[in-house]
C-alpha cells in the first residue's frame, strides 16, 4: 500500500520549505509519494527532480470564492495535462495577491515598520504573500510571532491590512482543472463549511473530496463520506503542510491520502 500525502505547499507559493527540503522530509517520514499543490500556480511542475527516491508529482490548489453564498472554496487539481491553459486562469490571482501585498506593505511602512521589499522572501521568487510580510517582521523583531496578536489584529478583524482580493468563482476553478485534463477535488470542505456547493460542483465535473485534513472533525468526515458515496466521488487527503507559514502544527504524512484517491492520482 502506497503512503501518500497529496496536499503540500512549497516556497513556490506560501510554504516555507523548498521542493528539495520537502522531498527530504517526506522520505524521512516514510512517505512513498507526495503531490505538491502550490496555490494558484503550476510553476513547480518544472522544478521537480527526475529522480528523488520517492514519487513526486505536481498538482494545484486554486483559490476561489462564492460571492452569492459567501463561501471560501479551494479546489485541488491533479494530473493536469494542459498546464498553459490552467496557468492562464490562475495567473491573475497571483498578480492581484502580489499587488494587494504591496498595498499592505505601503500601509505598514506608513506606520513605521520599514519593510524593504527587496528583503522579502517571495513565492517562486516573484510574488509576495502575507506570510512573507510576517516572516520579515518576525525576523526583524517587529512582531513577536508569525500567527500571534499582531497578525490577527493587523491582517484580520478590521485591522489596517484586513482587505483581500477578488477571487474567481468555484465553477471557474473547477472548469479550469477539467478543461486542462485534470481531476478536481474539493479541498478541506469541513474547514470552509461549503458542503452545500457539492451537488452543483458534481454537475460540473467534480471528481473527489478531501477527507483527511487537520481541520476536519469526526462529523465533517462523516458528512464528506456521505457525499462521496451519494455522488460516487473518490476520497483523498493530505497534511496541507506549509512549514512555519501555517498556524497549525502538522507534518508531512500526518494526514495521508485515502486509497481511492491514491488509485486515481497514481494509477
Amino acid at each position: 500500500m502506497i503512503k501518500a500525502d497529496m496536499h503540500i505547499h512549497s516556497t513556490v507559493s506560501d510554504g516555507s520549505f523548498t521542493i528539495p527540503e520537502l522531498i527530504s522530509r517526506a522520505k524521512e517520514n516514510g512517505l512513498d509519494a507526495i503531490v505538491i499543490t502550490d496555490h494558484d500556480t503550476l510553476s513547480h511542475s518544472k522544478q521537480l527532480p527526475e529522480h528523488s527516491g520517492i514519487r513526486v508529482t505536481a498538482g494545484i490548489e486554486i483559490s476561489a470564492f462564492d460571492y452569492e453564498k459567501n463561501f471560501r472554496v479551494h479546489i485541488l487539481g491533479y494530473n493536469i495535462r494542459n498546464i498553459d491553459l490552467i496557468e492562464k486562469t490562475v495567473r491573475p490571482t497571483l498578480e492581484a495577491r502580489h499587488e494587494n501585498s504591496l498595498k499592505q506593505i505601503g500601509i505598514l511602512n506608513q506606520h513605521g515598520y520599514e519593510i524593504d521589499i527587496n528583503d522579502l522572501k517571495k513565492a517562486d521568487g516573484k510574488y509576495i504573500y502575507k506570510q512573507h510580510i510576517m516572516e520579515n517582521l518576525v525576523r526583524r523583531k517587529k512582531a513577536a510571532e508569525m500567527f500571534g496578536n499582531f497578525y490577527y489584529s493587523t491582517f484580520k478583524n478590521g485591522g489596517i491590512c484586513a482587505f483581500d482580493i477578488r477571487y474567481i468563482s468555484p465553477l471557474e476553478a473547477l472548469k479550469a482543472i477539467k478543461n486542462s485534463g485534470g481531476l478536481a477535488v474539493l479541498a478541506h470542505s469541513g474547514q470552509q463549511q461549503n458542503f452545500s456547493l457539492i451537488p452543483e460542483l458534481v454537475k460540473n465535473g467534480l471528481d473527489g473530496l478531501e477527507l483527511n485534513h487537520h481541520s476536519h472533525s469526526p462529523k465533517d468526515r462523516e458528512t464528506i463520506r456521505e457525499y462521496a458515496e451519494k455522488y460516487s466521488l473518490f476520497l483523498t487527503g493530505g497534511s496541507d503542510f506549509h512549514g512555519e507559514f501555517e498556524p497549525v502544527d502538522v507534518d508531512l504524512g500526518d494526514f495521508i491520502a485515502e486509497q481511492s484517491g491514491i488509485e486515481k492520482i497514481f494509477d
Side-chain angles (χ1 to χ4, degrees), residues 90-137:
V90 297
R91 190 171 296 113
T93 298
L94 284 178
E95 294 171 349
R97 183 182 287 120
H98 180 72
E99 290 300 317
N100 197 63
S101 295
L102 293 178
K103 182 179 177 182
Q104 291 168 330
I105 291 168
I107 291 171
L108 289 168
N109 283 347
Q110 290 173 7
H111 286 74
Y113 287 96
E114 301 177 335
I115 299 170
D116 181 354
I117 292 173
N118 295 319
D119 188 40
L120 289 172
K121 295 181 178 180
K122 299 179 179 69
D124 207 18
K126 303 174 186 177
Y127 304 107
I128 300 171
Y129 285 63
K130 290 191 294 290
Q131 289 90 332
H132 302 126
I133 299 172
M134 284 303 308
E135 188 278 336
N136 178 275
L137 292 171

Side-chain angles (χ1 to χ4, degrees), residues 38-62:
D38 279 316
H39 281 286
D40 307 305
T41 185
L42 272 162
S43 176
H44 52 289
S45 65
K46 301 174 183 177
Q47 302 177 36
L48 303 183
E50 291 186 17
H51 306 288
S52 64
I54 62 171
R55 188 163 182 177
V56 184
T57 63
I60 189 170
E61 183 173 14
I62 301 182

Side-chain angles (χ1 to χ4, degrees), residues 183-247:
L183 296 169
V185 173
L186 181 62
H188 43 64
S189 48
Q191 182 184 64
Q192 296 173 333
Q193 290 296 302
N194 53 24
F195 299 118
S196 63
L197 298 178
I198 293 174
E200 183 66 20
L201 293 175
V202 168
K203 290 179 184 177
N204 287 274
L206 186 70
D207 298 290
L209 301 173
E210 185 174 49
L211 175 68
N212 299 327
H213 188 270
H214 59 75
S215 68
H216 286 166
S217 68
K219 178 60 177 175
D220 291 332
R221 289 193 287 273
E222 180 184 347
T223 300
I224 291 167
R225 285 191 184 278
E226 289 172 353
Y227 274 110
E229 183 175 356
K230 180 176 181 179
Y231 294 111
S232 300
L233 304 172
F234 68 78
L235 294 168
T236 186
S239 61
D240 200 358
F241 183 74
H242 291 74
E244 68 177 273
F245 290 171
E246 169 69 40

Side-chain angles (χ1 to χ4, degrees), residues 246-257:
E246 169 69 40
V248 180
D249 184 18
V250 295
D251 201 355
L252 294 181
D254 282 353
F255 296 86
I256 61 173

Side-chain angles (χ1 to χ4, degrees), residues 31 62 70-71 92 123 125 127 129 145 149 195 247:
L31 292 172
I62 301 182
N70 199 35
F71 285 142
Y127 304 107
Y129 285 63
E145 54 187 327
N149 290 334
F195 299 118

